[in-house]
Amino acid sequence: METTALQPAKGHKKTSDEAEININWPERYLSITTGVKLSFSGLTHLFSKPFTSILKLGAGGYLLNRGITGHCAVYSSIGKNTQEPVNINIKSTFTIDKPRQQVYNFWRKLDNLPLFMNHLESVEVLDNERSHWVLKLPTGVGTVSWDATIVKDKPGEVIGWSSLPGSIIDNAGKVYFRDTPDGKGTLVDVVITYQPPAGGVGASVAHILNPLFKNMVDNDVRNFKQYMDIDTALKPVVSANGKAHSPVSHKKVTAHLG
């Protein structure tokens, strides 16, 4: 992810061949898909319903052009640009009916995160501090990866991580763990951010940082409570050498405790 859409140099006016890209990729995919459907329907019924078919062909052609070029004349007229990246800042607080140390142990194994975060393809723990993250691009067209390191770790209290300098995306997170007043559960405070890096490193994937992605991450964080409330979620499977097995799937909820 990166900065904002490229701006023309001062004094330079865009020609008709340089239409500004002002639509993000999810919206472009939707325009193309809808345009294809309308055009196909118009061609299919061109002779039986000529008037309706001509309207469909016109609308379909407009949507196809909109999706392929990434330019919307209506958006330009009102100054709207959904292509510009946004800073994703997610904050959430909830109660987990598990002991604090147990919940902390789950988060400390960062490779557990993709079990409930659908926007993450994987998190590979490289050593006690470093990890390799892979994020899914919209509609499954590819992935983006970066390395991160633990920046704060107080067992049973807080875990924090941050992407390394020069990463294609700036990601950071911090999770605080507190006992509930009755001492039977855990109060969890989660803060996760995704931001475009300063500079052009992530320019090719800036469109990922959009409101749709923000909603996805927010929902994934909320999934944590539901995931942890499943009774079997925190049962470790320990091998003969004393190491926990990797989780087998999202539905068969076996997690590392490390």
Side-chain angles (χ1 to χ4, degrees):
M1 327 301 213
E2 59 350 53
T3 56
T4 56
L6 294 178
Q7 298 297 321
K10 267 189 175 180
H12 176 71
K13 293 184 179 180
K14 285 188 171 94
T15 67
S16 58
D17 293 331
E18 299 176 282
E20 176 190 17
I21 295 178
N22 58 4
I23 309 173
N24 60 34
W25 273 109
E27 192 171 348
R28 291 175 69 176
Y29 294 142
L30 181 60
S31 291
I32 292 172
T33 302
T34 306
V36 169
K37 289 181 179 179
L38 284 173
S39 299
F40 181 76
S41 177
L43 288 172
T44 302
H45 303 97
L46 184 59
F47 297 105
S48 61
K49 299 178 180 178
F51 180 72
T52 302
S53 296
I54 290 174
L55 291 178
K56 287 183 176 180
L57 286 171
Y62 169 76
L63 288 173
L64 281 171
N65 179 71
R66 186 177 187 270
I68 292 171
T69 64
H71 176 76
C72 177
V74 176
Y75 280 7
S76 291
S77 67
I78 62 176
K80 184 176 180 179
N81 189 334
T82 61
Q83 171 72 6
E84 294 180 355
V86 297
N87 293 337
I88 309 298
N89 297 293
I90 304 297
K91 296 181 180 180
S92 192
T93 301
F94 36 79
T95 301
I96 304 295
D97 293 328
K98 305 287 182 183
R100 176 161 54 97
Q101 188 63 43
Q102 200 173 18
V103 179
Y104 162 84
N105 287 345
F106 182 90
W107 268 94
R108 186 59 179 85
K109 297 284 293 183
L110 294 176
D111 48 355
N112 280 331
L113 299 188
L115 292 175
F116 61 90
M117 290 189 172
N118 294 320
H119 73 284
L120 292 176
E121 178 73 28
S122 64
V123 177
E124 179 186 1
V125 175
L126 303 177
D127 56 37
N128 196 46
E129 293 185 353
R130 296 183 304 116
S131 53
H132 182 73
W133 298 55
V134 180
L135 177 144
K136 301 175 186 176
L137 292 179
T139 69
V141 297
T143 59
V144 173
S145 62
W146 66 92
D147 288 340
T149 186
I150 298 294
V151 294
K152 190 169 187 177
D153 187 11
K154 291 185 178 180
E157 296 183 18
V158 60
I159 174 73
W161 68 91
S162 178
S163 54
L164 296 178
S167 296
I168 198 169
I169 183 173
D170 287 346
N171 166 243
K174 192 171 289 185
V175 187
Y176 294 91
F177 309 89
R178 294 173 290 149
D179 291 327
T180 56
D182 61 9
K184 296 180 179 180
T186 305
L187 290 172
V188 182
D189 295 303
V190 181
V191 178
I192 294 180
T193 65
Y194 284 95
Q195 298 179 345
V201 177
S204 61
V205 290
H207 58 274
I208 298 173
L209 294 181
N210 57 57
L212 291 177
F213 179 74
K214 183 179 186 299
N215 289 338
M216 183 188 302
V217 178
D218 192 25
N219 289 334
D220 281 354
V221 170
R222 296 176 189 276
N223 285 342
F224 175 61
K225 175 175 172 56
Q226 181 179 359
Y227 186 91
M228 296 296 284
D229 281 343
I230 301 174
D231 289 338
T232 57
L234 291 176
K235 291 181 180 178
V237 177
V238 182
S239 61
N241 60 10
K243 294 184 178 180
H245 292 302
S246 300
V248 292
S249 73
H250 191 185
K251 293 183 179 179
K252 291 185 177 181
V253 284
T254 300
H256 304 215
L257 290 184

